[in-house]
Amino acid sequence: MKKILFIVPVIAFLVLLFSHPGDVASGCTRGLTLWYTAVLPSLLPFMIVSNLLVATGMFRYLNPFYAPVLKRIFRISEEGCYAVVVGFLCGFPMGAKVIGDLVQKRQISAAEGSYLLGFCNNVSPAFFLNYICLSKLGCRSVPWKLVLLFYGLPLAYGFFTRPLYHFPGSDSGSFAPAAGREKKQASLHRLDFPMLDACMMVGFSTITRLGGYIMLFTILVQFLKLLPLSPSLLALLSGVLEISCGIDQIASAASFSPAVRTALVCTCAAWGGACICAQTKSVLAGTPLSVRTWLRGRITLALLAFLLVQLPAAAPVPYGCW
């Protein structure tokens, strides 16, 4: 039965590939354009630099700026604090990639990585402010209440789910290193050209895989337009599949009121889409971490975003702004 459920969609997708080459070309072009103009320049430099910071251990020099606060809030290690900062600032799927790298390098335990994965992989503030708030929601200025709510939700999720996780040294208040971590990993590794080449190749490999997923899911979104669906349902399904296409269609759907439109756009951004789920699973390959932890966090945050954005005390004003 499982094989049938898997084979049927694959066959249908292959049939559409050969029967609708125009839609395939359109979706492919849009996906590659999105990857080349937005994803590659915004993520690749961070990937290479983050690879170098983790490989050399130099990210520890950044920890004194934020670790004292984050350690007390989330009761995590100093190394885990770096994943929190990157996950909130750099966008999907950099948070998951850094967490996976730290677990692979045995800088943090798998249990701590699983905990961080639930809330440290979010849409970047630049994308949320520029693309979502100003461009798609039509805000005339930065809606700070909406921004604080959107990024406060994952922080609250991380704080309240912390008692569900137990990893070495986290509950004693000492923030001791993970069990089994080698002492030599506490020292810095000298940066040389072989290490730089390796970090660059890992970055290029990861960004290329992400481009493939984006292209695939934008083609799927294009195929959705072949179905006899209403614009509202088409926009919602597009948001389930791919974040940028979904937000674009939801923001332009006339059937949604400003309040519902704002809530749905934030829900789509909090969820990330099936495309981001595939990207996250890709960057976690080779680690003991499961994408299911990320899924639980994303689904919970998406539902909370939809409910809380529509609170009467914070109802959107005209143009969908807060």
Side-chain angles (χ1 to χ4, degrees):
M1 185 64 181
K2 291 183 179 180
K3 290 184 178 180
I4 296 177
L5 293 176
F6 174 77
I7 293 175
V8 171
V10 172
I11 294 177
F13 181 73
L14 291 175
V15 171
L16 289 173
L17 280 178
F18 290 102
S19 61
H20 294 78
D23 293 306
V24 174
S26 177
C28 184
T29 300
R30 178 168 185 172
L32 290 178
T33 301
L34 174 65
W35 174 76
Y36 179 74
T37 59
V39 177
L40 189 149
S42 63
L43 284 188
L44 182 59
F46 287 104
M47 287 183 177
I48 296 175
V49 171
S50 180
N51 290 338
L52 288 171
L53 290 175
V54 174
T56 60
M58 292 182 65
F59 69 91
R60 293 189 182 88
Y61 284 113
L62 303 175
N63 287 340
F65 294 100
Y66 47 77
V69 175
L70 295 179
K71 284 198 304 182
R72 294 184 179 277
I73 295 175
F74 300 110
R75 291 182 289 138
I76 55 179
S77 63
E78 285 193 359
E79 290 80 0
C81 295
Y82 173 68
V84 174
V85 172
V86 172
F88 275 84
L89 294 182
C90 297
F92 294 126
M94 273 300 296
K97 184 183 184 304
V98 169
I99 293 169
D101 290 343
L102 291 174
V103 171
Q104 277 190 320
K105 298 289 185 181
R106 301 183 66 191
Q107 304 287 352
I108 62 176
S109 66
E112 183 175 357
S114 181
Y115 163 64
L116 294 173
L117 194 61
F119 70 100
C120 292
N121 194 34
N122 305 284
V123 65
S124 69
F127 181 85
F128 187 78
L129 291 173
N130 296 325
Y131 182 76
I132 295 179
C133 295
L134 301 180
S135 177
K136 297 304 174 182
L137 292 181
C139 299
R140 296 175 179 175
S141 60
V142 177
W144 289 113
K145 289 197 297 182
L146 181 61
V147 174
L148 292 176
L149 174 62
F150 184 81
Y151 287 101
L153 280 176
L155 291 174
Y157 179 87
F159 179 80
F160 287 109
T161 58
R162 180 60 185 85
L164 303 178
Y165 294 86
H166 304 279
F167 34 88
S170 62
D171 296 322
S172 62
S174 60
F175 307 104
R181 186 184 303 169
E182 299 175 6
K183 287 186 178 180
K184 67 178 182 179
Q185 289 179 327
S187 61
L188 296 178
H189 298 275
R190 183 173 62 89
L191 175 63
D192 51 27
F193 281 105
M195 180 184 292
L196 177 60
D197 289 343
C199 291
M200 289 181 64
M201 291 308 298
V202 171
F204 279 114
S205 175
T206 303
I207 202 70
T208 303
R209 290 202 307 270
L210 300 189
Y213 283 117
I214 292 173
M215 181 182 66
L216 176 63
F217 278 90
T218 50
I219 292 175
L220 289 175
V221 171
Q222 192 69 26
F223 284 159
L224 284 179
K225 298 179 181 180
L226 301 175
L227 301 176
L229 303 175
S230 65
S232 300
L233 182 57
L234 178 62
L236 294 177
L237 292 178
S238 298
V240 171
L241 290 177
E242 208 279 322
I243 180 172
S244 58
C245 295
I247 289 175
D248 178 61
Q249 295 187 35
I250 291 172
S252 60
S255 57
F256 297 132
S257 65
V260 173
R261 184 182 302 116
T262 303
L264 288 175
V265 166
C266 291
T267 300
C268 183
W271 156 235
C275 181
I276 297 297
C277 180
Q279 294 176 31
T280 301
K281 185 174 178 60
S282 175
V283 299
L284 293 178
T287 72
L289 302 176
S290 173
V291 74
R292 294 179 181 177
T293 304
W294 179 85
L295 277 173
R296 286 197 298 267
R298 289 299 104 192
I299 293 173
T300 303
L301 291 173
L303 293 175
L304 289 175
F306 180 75
L307 295 175
L308 296 180
V309 169
Q310 299 183 84
L311 283 177
V317 297
Y319 304 98
C321 303
W322 272 41

